[in-house]
Amino acid sequence: MPPLRRPSTKLQAATGALRARRDPLEDEARFLRSWFERPLVTGSVTPSGKMLARTMASYVDPRMAGPVIELGPGTGPVTEALIRRGIEQERLILVEYNSDFCRLLRTRFPRANVVQGDAYDIAATLGALVQEKAAATVSSLPLFTKPLEQRLGLLNAVHAMMHPGAPFVQFTYAVVPPIPERCDAGTYTASRSNRVWLNLPPARVWAYRRP
């Protein structure tokens, strides 16, 4: 009987990837539990669907230099879409308030920067972690749980951290934009996607840019 061989490094890596792969039913259970505990923080009872995540990631240009900031990544469906879009894990800065989600994200995306903190105080949360202008900010935060003034404050704060013209990408289930489509001061422009009907519930993606 030939001696047993140790599994190859590639096989071990593949096995680890399978173990860390998202289980949709488990992730939905995590979201539901988090929503029951903190409904104004989690905002949704289910994670973003693949089509919605792909639509959000499509607004990010992988060729633009700098980190990509993700706010409220949850269990990581949009993070996965960003990686498939061509964003290396090392470029990702994932800002998540929920400590359980943070532990899960560190397992699934070990080379990304996972920061537990308040996205609405983004400058203090990230501190000196952002050393260069960011290429994009992608948000799954439940913005409608915050007053408009706080939403605008977040938009201004992330735009100050990004390249001119870089997008702040936000999805919403509502029929109205999460931040007003037009700004009287002319400090940003907004564009929207078609409604993503394959998501449950259907959603729309907004991209806000500042010259």
Side-chain angles (χ1 to χ4, degrees):
M1 181 177 178
L4 293 175
R5 295 181 180 179
R6 297 184 64 183
S8 67
T9 302
K10 288 185 178 180
L11 181 58
Q12 288 176 332
T15 303
L18 285 172
R19 287 174 181 168
R21 183 175 294 174
R22 286 201 316 121
D23 183 324
L25 292 178
E26 286 186 6
D27 284 357
E28 287 181 8
R30 289 187 180 100
F31 255 79
L32 185 60
R33 183 169 60 250
S34 179
W35 183 83
F36 274 119
E37 293 172 353
R38 293 180 292 266
L40 294 181
V41 174
T42 303
S44 174
V45 297
T46 58
S48 301
K50 286 186 177 180
M51 186 60 69
L52 176 58
R54 193 181 308 163
T55 303
M56 295 177 74
S58 71
Y59 284 90
V60 180
D61 184 355
R63 299 166 298 180
M64 183 175 286
V68 173
I69 302 168
E70 186 181 355
L71 308 180
T75 58
V78 179
T79 314
E80 286 185 357
L82 288 168
I83 293 170
R84 290 194 176 95
R85 176 74 172 157
I87 306 298
E88 297 85 358
Q89 282 194 39
E90 290 82 359
R91 293 180 60 190
L92 292 170
I93 300 175
L94 312 179
V95 181
E96 173 58 52
Y97 188 83
N98 184 303
S99 59
D100 293 334
F101 287 164
C102 284
R103 284 190 290 271
L104 185 66
L105 292 166
R106 292 187 181 105
T107 300
R108 290 180 172 171
F109 311 104
R111 300 193 307 278
N113 294 292
V114 179
V115 180
Q116 183 179 357
D118 183 3
Y120 292 99
D121 191 11
I122 193 67
T125 296
L126 294 184
L129 185 59
V130 180
Q131 298 289 334
E132 57 180 316
K133 292 292 187 180
T137 300
V138 182
S139 169
S140 298
L141 298 174
L143 291 189
F144 280 111
T145 64
K146 301 293 183 181
L148 177 57
E149 184 179 359
Q150 195 167 359
R151 286 177 258 160
L152 289 170
L154 173 65
L155 181 65
N156 289 330
V158 295
H159 273 153
M161 304 174 73
M162 297 192 297
H163 291 291
F168 172 76
V169 183
Q170 173 73 46
F171 85 89
T172 181
Y173 301 127
V175 296
V176 296
I179 297 173
E181 184 175 359
R182 293 178 178 81
C183 177
D184 293 337
T187 56
Y188 65 81
T189 61
S191 60
R192 63 180 180 176
S193 73
N194 293 326
R195 187 162 289 278
V196 183
W197 293 105
L198 293 180
N199 194 71
L200 187 65
R204 173 168 280 137
V205 178
W206 287 83
Y208 297 86
R209 304 175 190 269
R210 188 167 71 181

